[in-house]
Amino acid sequence: MRSVWRGAISFGLVTIGVRLYTATEEHDFRFHQVHREDGGRIRYKRVCQVCGEEVAYADIAKGYELDDGRVVVLDTEDFDKLPINTDHAIDVLEFVPVDEVDPIYFQKSYYLEPDKAATRPYVLLRTALERSGQLAVVKITIRQRETLAMLRARDDVLVMHTMLWPDEVRKPDFEFLGGEVEVRPQELKMASSLVDSMAGSFDPADFTDDYTEAMQKVIEAKAEGAELPERPEAEESGEVIDLMTALERSVEQAKSARGGKSAGRKPAAKKAPAAKGSAGAERKAPAKKKAKPA
C-alpha cells in the first residue's frame, strides 16, 4: 500500500507520528466509452465555452459561480491562503461512546500506521480506545479540505473514518411521516418472530458479490465469442396475500431453511471435557463448617 498522507495525532501533549492509507477499494468493472463500430476510445476535448478554443490543462483554473451569474476564478495560490489550519495534524477533540455516533455520517476509511519512533504511544492510544469502548473525535485537513473524523481501534490498528458535517446529511421528507400508521399487535408479534428466526452473527465472508461474478462471466463469454449466460427467470406469484399471511409464511420458510430452529445463530462450540489433573478439571470439596463452641 502507498500512504496518501503523513502527519501526527495530537493527543493532549502526546504526539504520534502516523501515515494514512486508504483502507478500502472497490472491485467494480471500469468501462470506457467506445465507438460501437470499431471499439475505438471516445476522447473529450477541453473547450472554452466563451472563445471556443481548446484549453491546455495548465491554463485551467477553478471557478465558482455566484447567484448573480458572476464567476470567481481561484488559482492554487488562493487555496494556499485559506484561513484554516493546514498543518499535517490529527487533533483529538474529545472521546465519545460508540453507540452515540450515527453511521450515516461516515464517509471514507483509512488505516493509520505509526512511525517507528511513535509505536509505543500509538499502541497506548489504541489500547485505551479498546478498553474504554469509545471513539476519538478528531479534525484533519486532507487536500486543503478540513473535515471531521473518528478514530477507532480495529484488528490491532487505528482506523480513521472521515465524516460528513451535519448540514451535509439530508433530512428525510416523505409524505407518510406526517400521518399515523396503525401496526396491529399480532402483526408486530409475527414480525418480531420473523426477525428472531432470521437472527445470526454477522460475518462479511458469508456473503458473495453476485454482480461481480455474473459480470465476469458475461465479459469472458463475449471475449471468447461464446453464448452469453442467461438470466434466471424470477418466480411469479399471482396470488395476492395479506400482510399477516405473508409474515406467517415467511416465518415458516425461515425456520425450514434453518432446520426448524427459531434462532438462526450458530450453536456455540462444545468444550472438550478437561482431563484429570488439568487446571480447573477437578472441583474442590466444600469446606467443612467449624463446630460452634459449646
Side-chain angles (χ1 to χ4, degrees), residues 15-17 22 46 59 89 117 119 135 141 153 162 179 190 223 251 254-255 273 277:
T15 301
I16 309 171
T22 304
R46 295 179 290 268
D59 295 329
T119 302
L135 303 174
T141 301
T162 55
M190 190 58 62
V251 171
K255 288 183 178 180

Side-chain angles (χ1 to χ4, degrees), residues 3-5 18-22 110-112 140 142 160:
S3 63
V4 297
W5 184 93
V18 294
R19 289 181 175 86
L20 223 61
Y21 299 85
T22 304
Y110 298 88
Y111 289 134
L112 275 68
I140 182 176
I142 303 177
M160 187 185 76

Side-chain angles (χ1 to χ4, degrees), residues 32-91:
H32 304 293
Q33 288 188 323
V34 297
H35 187 192
R36 190 189 304 275
E37 298 298 325
D38 54 20
R41 290 278 298 274
I42 303 299
R43 300 292 184 185
Y44 293 91
K45 294 182 179 181
R46 295 179 290 268
V47 177
C48 175
Q49 252 184 342
V50 177
C51 65
E53 297 292 331
E54 186 174 354
V55 182
Y57 187 79
D59 295 329
I60 296 179
K62 292 186 177 181
Y64 183 82
E65 186 174 353
L66 302 177
D67 294 337
D68 58 8
R70 289 181 298 158
V71 176
V72 178
V73 180
L74 299 174
D75 290 312
T76 304
E77 295 78 11
D78 299 314
F79 287 98
D80 292 338
K81 295 178 182 178
L82 282 173
I84 60 170
N85 181 13
T86 57
D87 293 339
H88 279 212
I90 300 175
D91 296 319

Side-chain angles (χ1 to χ4, degrees), residues 113-274:
E113 178 193 29
D115 292 341
K116 290 184 179 180
T119 302
R120 186 180 178 190
Y122 177 97
V123 173
L124 180 65
L125 176 58
R126 184 202 69 198
T127 305
L129 289 175
E130 286 176 339
R131 292 188 177 183
S132 66
Q134 293 191 325
L135 303 174
V137 183
V138 303
K139 267 189 177 181
I140 182 176
T141 301
I142 303 177
R143 300 185 184 92
Q144 299 175 322
R145 180 71 167 89
E146 187 181 59
T147 182
L148 196 65
M150 289 282 177
L151 293 183
R152 70 181 180 95
R154 180 183 186 273
D155 295 340
D156 295 335
V157 299
L158 288 175
V159 178
M160 187 185 76
H161 301 280
T162 55
M163 303 178 68
L164 299 169
W165 295 101
D167 60 353
E168 293 178 315
V169 178
R170 294 177 175 176
K171 291 184 179 180
D173 184 16
F174 304 124
E175 186 177 350
F176 82 94
L177 293 175
E180 294 184 3
V181 181
E182 181 185 0
V183 177
R184 295 189 294 174
Q186 59 268 35
E187 293 173 343
L188 181 58
K189 182 179 179 180
M190 190 58 62
S192 299
S193 178
L194 177 58
V195 171
D196 182 63
S197 64
M198 298 178 67
S201 298
F202 178 68
D203 183 358
D206 291 341
F207 304 91
T208 57
D209 185 356
D210 297 333
Y211 171 82
T212 298
E213 293 181 1
M215 182 58 69
Q216 187 65 43
K217 291 179 180 178
V218 170
I219 292 175
E220 291 176 354
K222 291 278 287 187
E224 298 173 1
E227 185 177 352
L228 297 180
E230 294 184 0
R231 174 180 294 185
E233 295 183 3
E235 296 183 5
E236 294 184 3
S237 177
E239 183 182 4
V240 179
I241 55 179
D242 59 77
L243 179 58
M244 190 64 187
T245 303
L247 287 168
E248 290 174 347
R249 293 185 183 180
S250 298
V251 171
E252 292 174 2
Q253 290 179 357
K255 288 183 178 180
S256 176
R258 302 203 175 195
K261 297 180 181 179
S262 60
R265 298 183 182 275
K266 295 180 180 179
K270 294 183 179 179
K271 294 183 178 179

